Amino acid sequence: MVIFKKLCAEHAEIYRTLRLEALRTNPEAYASDYATEKNRSMDQIRTHLSNPYVMTVGGFDGDQLIAIASLHLESLPKMAHRSTLTSVYVSPEFRGQRIARKIMEYMIDTVKKDGVTKMYLYVVTQNESAIRAYKKFGFNIYGEDQNAMKEEDGFVGEYLMVKYI
């Protein structure tokens, strides 16, 4: 059974390992890249995992970290009802078990009590399986950012999606 919990500085090494796996396995899905993340120091990763405005959640199968996702919270009072989901990844051997959905449910349950009512995300327009999954979870496309990211072989677009929670 997969257990979900908020990651903290002490999880930096296992987080980094899975984050690098994500960037190797699905580089097209992320704004960052393997080389950039590989060069981040452990102190930078610990700082990220300790940031009070970023909730990074891990899915654990026993002691093994098999899924991650981050939810960026707004710090300004007028924007505190908003959040942005990033860096969702599930190890390939654990896909198809609704783990990404369960991570998002865990995040929503955690932040709803603090008044968060909207969750945004950005997804590459060609990532049809992710788009379908996000739609099933209640996200709606509200815009498209053409040429959102520059890849080696050209630009890719992103859909802007929102879910009211």
Side-chain angles (χ1 to χ4, degrees), residues 35-47:
T36 300
E37 293 294 318
K38 187 170 174 145
N39 289 323
R40 286 178 73 196
S41 71
M42 289 308 292
D43 282 342
Q44 288 173 309
I45 295 168
R46 284 185 197 95
T47 298

Side-chain angles (χ1 to χ4, degrees), residues 69-117:
S70 292
L71 191 63
H72 298 256
L73 307 167
E74 297 286 343
S75 61
L76 298 172
K78 290 182 182 181
M79 307 286 273
H81 65 289
R82 298 167 34 152
S83 62
T84 304
L85 181 66
T86 65
S87 307
V88 178
Y89 179 74
V90 178
S91 290
E93 61 270 25
F94 291 92
R95 292 181 185 168
Q97 300 177 36
R98 302 180 131 207
I99 292 171
R101 179 185 187 98
K102 291 174 185 172
I103 263 189
M104 290 186 288
E105 288 170 347
Y106 177 92
M107 291 176 154
I108 288 169
D109 289 344
T110 302
V111 299
K112 216 187 321 188
K113 66 182 177 294
D114 295 326
V116 175
T117 60

Side-chain angles (χ1 to χ4, degrees), residues 31-164:
S32 190
D33 61 32
Y34 183 84
T36 300
E37 293 294 318
K38 187 170 174 145
N39 289 323
R40 286 178 73 196
S41 71
M42 289 308 292
D43 282 342
Q44 288 173 309
I45 295 168
R46 284 185 197 95
T47 298
H48 167 74
L49 294 175
S50 301
N51 184 333
Y53 295 104
V54 179
M55 178 176 52
T56 299
V57 172
F60 289 84
D61 181 36
D63 291 336
Q64 181 186 2
L65 181 65
I66 55 101
I68 50 175
S70 292
L71 191 63
H72 298 256
L73 307 167
E74 297 286 343
S75 61
L76 298 172
K78 290 182 182 181
M79 307 286 273
H81 65 289
R82 298 167 34 152
S83 62
T84 304
L85 181 66
T86 65
S87 307
V88 178
Y89 179 74
V90 178
S91 290
E93 61 270 25
F94 291 92
R95 292 181 185 168
Q97 300 177 36
R98 302 180 131 207
I99 292 171
R101 179 185 187 98
K102 291 174 185 172
I103 263 189
M104 290 186 288
E105 288 170 347
Y106 177 92
M107 291 176 154
I108 288 169
D109 289 344
T110 302
V111 299
K112 216 187 321 188
K113 66 182 177 294
D114 295 326
V116 175
T117 60
K118 289 173 82 174
M119 184 183 281
Y120 295 96
L121 64 82
Y122 309 96
V123 62
V124 175
T125 56
Q126 293 87 355
N127 193 343
E128 294 174 14
S129 63
I131 294 164
R132 274 193 310 276
Y134 290 133
K135 283 182 173 180
K136 282 182 185 176
F137 191 62
F139 280 91
N140 294 303
I141 295 171
Y142 70 91
E144 182 177 350
D145 185 358
Q146 298 175 0
N147 300 333
M149 289 192 298
K150 185 176 181 183
E151 299 286 349
E152 288 181 16
D153 58 347
F155 289 93
V156 295
E158 289 181 327
Y159 287 129
L160 292 69
M161 301 183 80
V162 64
K163 174 182 174 65
Y164 293 88

